[in-house]
Amino acid sequence: MASSAKIYRNHVRSCLLLRSQIRASSSSRTASQPRHKERKKPITSQNASDLKDKFQFHNLSDFHTSNEDGFDADGLAVSRNGNSIFFPLAKNDKQDFTKCVQKSDSASVSVSKVLKETMPPERLLILKRWENKMIKELGLEGFESYKKEMLETGSTFHQYLQDYLISGKSHDEIPESLMGYWTSIKSVIPHVSDIGLNEEPVRHPYLNYHGIVDCVASFRNNHLCVIEWKTSRKRKSSLKQTYDYPLQTAAYAGAINFTKETQHQINNIAIVIAYENGDQSDVHFLNRDLTNLYWTQWLKRLQEYKQSLKTMSEE
C-alpha cells in the first residue's frame, strides 16, 4: 500500500510538472505575437481539464483510514485550499490509483442531500423568491399541495416511462394527466436503445455517495450515457436553466463507472426535459469534456458537504 501511494503521489507531481512546462513553452511562443483584445471565454468543454490544472495536491486522510490493517492509507488528492477532491470520472486501466485509495465503510450520503445542503447563496435566493411568490398566489397550504402534486406527477411519469422502455407498453395506457409529458418526449424515445440500467440505485464505493439513476442506455449515434428524465411546467431550453441537473447526472455516471458490475465506462450524459403542455422536449446532451466539467463541479460540492460535517463535529 505504501508503495502504491508513493507511485500515485509521484504520478500527480509529474503530471503537474509536465503541464507547467507545456504552458511555459506555449507562453514563450505566443509572447511575440500581436495582442488582440481579450474576450471573455464562455464555460465550455475546454474548461474541464483547466479546472484540475489549477490544483496543487496533498493528502486528505479523514476520508478513509486503515489503521486496523497496520499501515497508513494514502488519502484522496484534494486542492491545496481543500475545496475540491481530485478523482477521475471513469476508470483508467493504465493508472489505477484506486489501489491506494480504500473503499469507505462509513454511512453513504445521497446526491440530492449534498446538492441541497451546498446550494449556492444566489440559487437559494432565487428559490426563496419563487417560494414566496407561489405562497402569495396559492397560500401556504395550497403551495404545499402544489409541491406534493409535482413530486407525485414526476414519480408516476418515471414509472410509466420505465415500464414502456422495458416492455414497450403502449402510450395509450398512460393517464390523461401525463399525456402532455409523453407527447413532449415521444420523439426522443426512438433514440434510446440497449438499456443497461433503469431506475436503479447506484453507489460510489470510494467517494461514498448514492442515488437512483433514471436510465443508462445507448443514445443518439450509440453514445453510452446516463439519461435523466425531468418534468417541468416551465421552459428549460438552456443548460443554465437546469441548475444542478448536470451535477446530479455526472455524479451518477461516476458512481456507475467504479462499481464492479461496470463493463463499459460512461463519459456522456443526457438530460431530457418533458413539458406538461406537450411542447417538444429539450434534450441537453453533454459529451465527455462537458461531463468532466460538471463532474469536477460535483466533486467540489461533495467536498464542501464533507467539510461542513467535519466543522460541525468539531464545534
Side-chain angles (χ1 to χ4, degrees), residues 42 51 85 127 129 202 231 236 277 304 306-307 313:
L51 291 174
I85 308 166
L127 181 61
R129 286 174 178 171
V202 294
T231 57
K236 298 183 186 294
N277 62 4
E304 182 182 341
K306 289 180 178 289
Q307 291 287 72
S313 67

Side-chain angles (χ1 to χ4, degrees), residues 141-207:
E141 187 175 340
F143 178 57
E144 292 299 326
S145 296
Y146 170 83
K147 289 195 296 182
K148 182 179 179 181
E149 179 189 346
M150 290 298 294
L151 286 172
E152 290 176 349
T153 297
S155 177
T156 306
F157 177 70
H158 273 77
Q159 186 60 57
Y160 274 91
L161 181 57
Q162 177 186 8
D163 292 344
Y164 180 81
L165 291 174
I166 293 175
S167 62
K169 184 180 186 180
S170 172
H171 67 271
D172 294 333
E173 300 177 43
I174 294 179
E176 184 65 29
S177 61
L178 299 179
M179 281 304 296
Y181 295 113
W182 179 260
T183 301
S184 181
I185 67 163
K186 65 181 181 181
S187 63
V188 177
I189 301 299
H191 297 284
V192 180
S193 61
D194 301 324
I195 298 171
L197 297 177
N198 202 356
E199 291 287 337
E200 293 191 31
V202 294
R203 178 182 179 275
H204 200 295
Y206 298 98
L207 300 181

Side-chain angles (χ1 to χ4, degrees), residues 74-87:
D74 186 40
L76 291 172
V78 300
S79 57
R80 183 172 292 281
N81 59 16
N83 291 339
S84 208
I85 308 166
F86 176 68
F87 202 96

Side-chain angles (χ1 to χ4, degrees), residues 227-258:
I227 304 173
E228 275 292 304
W229 309 101
K230 300 294 185 181
T231 57
S232 179
R233 292 181 176 179
K234 292 182 63 177
R235 199 80 197 177
K236 298 183 186 294
S237 54
S238 71
L239 196 58
K240 182 180 179 180
Q241 292 171 311
T242 64
Y243 295 108
D244 285 339
Y245 291 169
L247 280 71
Q248 174 192 8
T249 314
Y252 294 157
I256 295 167
N257 284 338
F258 280 88

